Amino acid sequence: MFLRKQFEKSPVAARVLPFAIFLLLTFGQGKFGEGSRYWFYLAKTLVGAWLLFEMRPFVTELRCAFSWEAVVVGVGVCVMWVGLDSFYPKLSELGVKFGLSKAAATPALPWNPHLQFGEGASLAWLFIAVRIIGSSLVVPALEEVFFRSFLYRYIAKVDFLNVSLGQFLALPFFAASTVFAFEHEEWLAGLLCGFAYQGLVIWKKRLGDAIVAHGITNFLLGVWVVWKGAWHFW
């Protein structure tokens, strides 16, 4: 009830707090032993779904919109994300190169439940299913509301609700996409992804197509990860 009251009173809180809570739970992954990476993902997926339910009445743009443009962008971003992977240094590599972080003595294990719970274990497949469902249904809505609806418009004007979703604004376009990019290890793919989703919002003048496109991208990427064993994408 407390959160719902905050969402009702503040348009900013309704769009920022859910993402902030989700991000906080993300930081907890792996901080309490290797297994916590998976249990925290389950927890944040459930909490994220609840947060979407709580914020939905107060975030009018939070409506999925299925269109051919959303499908094309969703599929295209997935192809781009995978295709570019070997052609640029990742965020952690850049951090080491420029002295912003130290190389770990032992490389971090990939997000692979089979390594943690045993090859083919029921628990491993449970966490794989949770990851695909969470990244396809929960993450897109939370991120698109924060980045494409709130941050893009807030950079343009504090009274962001009076900024049209269909208005192209150069500084917010590049700034919001850059912040989104550095939320990901694959920063270059993330930047181009941000451009694509924000461009879709501007083109369609609504947020729903970007939510659907984002969901399609993440679902297809999840299928690719499991099919090809490309766990480093997770």
Side-chain angles (χ1 to χ4, degrees):
M1 285 297 293
F2 172 77
L3 273 181
R4 184 169 281 232
K5 287 180 180 178
Q6 296 305 308
F7 296 164
E8 186 176 12
K9 288 192 299 184
S10 170
V12 173
R15 291 160 178 81
V16 175
L17 270 180
F19 179 74
I21 293 169
F22 191 79
L23 204 59
L24 184 63
L25 290 172
T26 299
F27 287 136
Q29 292 177 204
K31 296 297 189 295
F32 304 93
E34 186 62 25
S36 70
R37 299 168 76 188
Y38 307 98
W39 291 107
F40 261 78
Y41 198 95
L42 173 61
K44 77 174 188 177
T45 297
L46 295 175
V47 170
W50 169 70
L51 288 167
L52 287 172
F53 177 78
E54 291 293 306
M55 67 193 273
R56 188 178 177 87
F58 313 107
V59 181
T60 56
E61 67 273 22
L62 182 55
R63 300 287 185 273
C64 291
F66 192 88
S67 64
W68 68 265
E69 295 96 334
V71 174
V72 169
V73 170
V75 173
V77 168
C78 181
V79 171
M80 175 272 296
W81 200 285
V82 174
L84 279 179
D85 187 56
S86 61
F87 293 101
Y88 66 101
K90 304 307 181 289
L91 196 59
S92 57
E93 296 174 80
L94 289 177
V96 172
K97 181 177 180 179
F98 292 104
L100 299 176
S101 63
K102 295 180 180 179
T106 304
L109 291 173
W111 201 98
N112 182 352
H114 291 303
L115 293 179
Q116 179 68 24
F117 303 103
E119 188 69 34
S122 298
L123 203 54
W125 284 111
L126 169 66
F127 286 117
I128 288 170
V130 167
R131 179 89 188 216
I132 292 176
I133 292 169
S135 65
S136 302
L137 300 178
V138 176
V139 171
L142 288 173
E143 289 194 336
E144 292 308 309
V145 166
F146 177 75
F147 286 103
R148 252 61 71 179
S149 174
F150 169 73
L151 187 59
Y152 175 82
R153 295 190 290 171
Y154 192 80
I155 292 171
K157 189 176 182 180
V158 173
D159 185 15
F160 70 97
L161 291 179
N162 286 321
V163 178
S164 169
L165 286 170
Q167 185 177 358
F168 174 75
L169 301 160
L171 176 60
F173 184 86
F174 289 102
S177 296
T178 299
V179 175
F180 179 76
F182 286 98
E183 187 197 18
H184 298 84
E185 173 73 0
E186 299 87 356
W187 62 272
L188 179 57
L191 181 64
L192 298 176
C193 174
F195 291 161
Y197 294 156
Q198 191 71 64
L200 187 58
V201 173
I202 294 167
W203 184 10
K204 301 296 290 185
K205 298 180 175 59
R206 60 192 183 193
L207 190 68
D209 302 79
I211 294 173
V212 170
H214 197 154
I216 290 171
T217 297
N218 286 3
F219 175 77
L220 293 177
L221 188 60
V223 171
W224 179 266
V225 166
V226 178
W227 180 33
K228 294 293 187 179
W231 303 102
H232 64 283
F233 285 119
W234 276 358

